[in-house]
Amino acid sequence: MLGGFVILLGCQLIGELLVRSLDLPFPSPVVGMILLLIGLMIYGEVPEGLRVVAEGLLRHLSLLFVPAGVGLMVHFKLIQADWLSIALALLISSVLTIVIAALVMGRMMSKDGEGKHGSAD
Amino acid sequence: MDRLTDLWLYLAASPLLWLTLTLIVFMFALWLNRLAKGSPLLHPVLVSMAIIISILTLTGISYNQYFEGAQFVHFLLGPATVALAVPLYDHLAKVREIMALLLVTCVSGALVAAMSAAGVALLMGSMPETVMSIMPKSVTSPIAMGISEKIGGYPSLTSGLVLITGTLGCFVAPPLFRLMNIEDHKIRGFVLGVSSHGIGTALAFEISALAGAFAGLAIGMTGVVSAILIPLMARMLS
């Protein structure tokens, strides 16, 4: 289990080093995630210790958002000034994203699966 | 009375109180959400934020003081993001055959999400920091906050907007799916993950396990694709 945590931190650390030294535009945990994914593909399976830690962290993922979410209180003035545009932007964008992603995927799947198509109920 | 004040001053300055408060409030919010049968309106994160913000405002504690304690929870977001590679790897074999299709869907979804949100905010005359904070709103929080920081938004504002977006998606997606005659659970799940990350994934798991697996995959893919595309788009905007 300790080993699993070291793997996660190690990937994040290497990610951090890569982002800093190459001035990459991505957040370093994302680079760490890609590194770990490549590592797992090479290794061929998920080590038990890593799975325990990873699944433990992901099970409580939503808790980890709380401290940053409370930071909204610092932005009350900004939200007060821009609340209508924020609300509209989120609503319109959510509808557009869902409609377009569903259209794209639906079209491609029905073209892909003429014959072998089976609906998943 | 004086001793009580002293005690309060001592506790308020220690990280222990704010760390413990964060955990207790979250456990209460989880319990409340179960009581409400998982309603997205009472999402545990939204409820926890509301309760903690109220407590801090009432007691006059600054966010910085609170964060002294809460940072220990916050720090785990980094390793948790790296850990997303594990479910991604688990589903990799299952989805390899339709990988190209998923990638196209994910890229178009991520582009539409960021551009439409930024477009509306710009048209409405939002401040640049607001626009940058809105762009990653369909991405799972740990990655969204990283992107926001990178492009000059406020990560904490972004994380709030991400949560609100997730909740919104759970409201608008089911009627939209019905309107568009989308029956396939793979599509329903993946689209929920693309537009509403973890909160959409929770809803997808209520549709079926298949929908949930595809939603989980979409979180990771959208995160990576957005981490590449949004900083490029932000550079073009500014």
Side-chain angles (χ1 to χ4, degrees), chain B residues 176-225:
Chain B
L176 284 176
F177 288 150
R178 243 171 290 143
L179 218 70
M180 296 172 66
N181 260 329
I182 304 278
E183 300 281 341
D184 195 314
H185 288 195
K186 292 194 284 283
I187 302 182
R188 287 189 170 201
F190 196 77
V191 169
L192 273 170
V194 167
S195 65
S196 304
H197 49 89
I199 298 178
T201 302
L203 180 70
F205 271 112
E206 281 168 33
I207 299 176
S208 71
L210 181 72
F214 272 78
L217 174 72
I219 296 182
M221 280 178 70
T222 309
V224 174
V225 165

Side-chain angles (χ1 to χ4, degrees), chain B:
Chain B
M1 195 61 206
D2 264 3
R3 284 179 65 185
L4 260 179
T5 318
D6 280 353
L7 195 63
W8 164 248
L9 284 177
Y10 169 75
L11 271 181
S14 88
L16 182 63
L17 178 63
W18 306 118
L19 179 59
T20 315
L21 178 82
T22 306
L23 296 180
I24 292 177
V25 168
F26 186 73
M27 283 173 73
F28 170 74
L30 278 181
W31 173 80
L32 200 66
N33 186 254
R34 262 197 299 273
L35 213 66
K37 304 210 163 55
S39 152
L41 256 185
L42 282 177
H43 195 275
V45 178
L46 288 179
V47 173
S48 304
M49 279 162 52
I51 295 177
I52 296 175
I53 289 177
S54 311
I55 293 176
L56 295 182
T57 312
L58 285 175
T59 53
I61 300 295
S62 74
Y63 178 62
N64 285 341
Q65 202 170 343
Y66 164 76
F67 199 75
E68 284 284 303
Q71 61 173 323
F72 302 108
V73 171
H74 178 77
F75 173 80
L76 292 175
L77 266 183
T81 307
V82 179
L84 284 173
V86 171
L88 205 55
Y89 173 78
D90 286 341
H91 297 307
L92 208 57
K94 278 183 245 163
V95 295
R96 238 186 204 141
E97 47 193 80
I98 53 168
M99 200 64 190
L101 184 161
L102 294 178
L103 204 62
V104 173
T105 306
C106 174
V107 169
S108 34
L111 277 175
V112 171
M115 287 201 314
S116 60
V120 172
L122 277 175
L123 277 179
M124 300 278 301
S126 290
M127 285 176 260
E129 291 86 356
T130 312
V131 177
M132 292 306 170
S133 305
I134 286 182
M135 279 182 90
K137 51 98 205 166
S138 280
V139 183
T140 186
S141 297
I143 300 181
M145 290 165 63
I147 297 173
S148 176
E149 192 173 10
K150 205 86 201 177
I151 62 177
Y154 298 115
S156 50
L157 178 57
T158 298
S159 79
L161 299 180
V162 164
L163 298 170
I164 296 168
T165 301
T167 321
L168 262 176
C170 292
F171 279 118
V172 297
L176 284 176
F177 288 150
R178 243 171 290 143
L179 218 70
M180 296 172 66
N181 260 329
I182 304 278
E183 300 281 341
D184 195 314
H185 288 195
K186 292 194 284 283
I187 302 182
R188 287 189 170 201
F190 196 77
V191 169
L192 273 170
V194 167
S195 65
S196 304
H197 49 89
I199 298 178
T201 302
L203 180 70
F205 271 112
E206 281 168 33
I207 299 176
S208 71
L210 181 72
F214 272 78
L217 174 72
I219 296 182
M221 280 178 70
T222 309
V224 174
V225 165
S226 301
I228 298 170
L229 291 181
I230 291 180
L232 297 176
M233 285 191 266
R235 231 174 258 180
M236 287 190 326
L237 274 181
S238 55

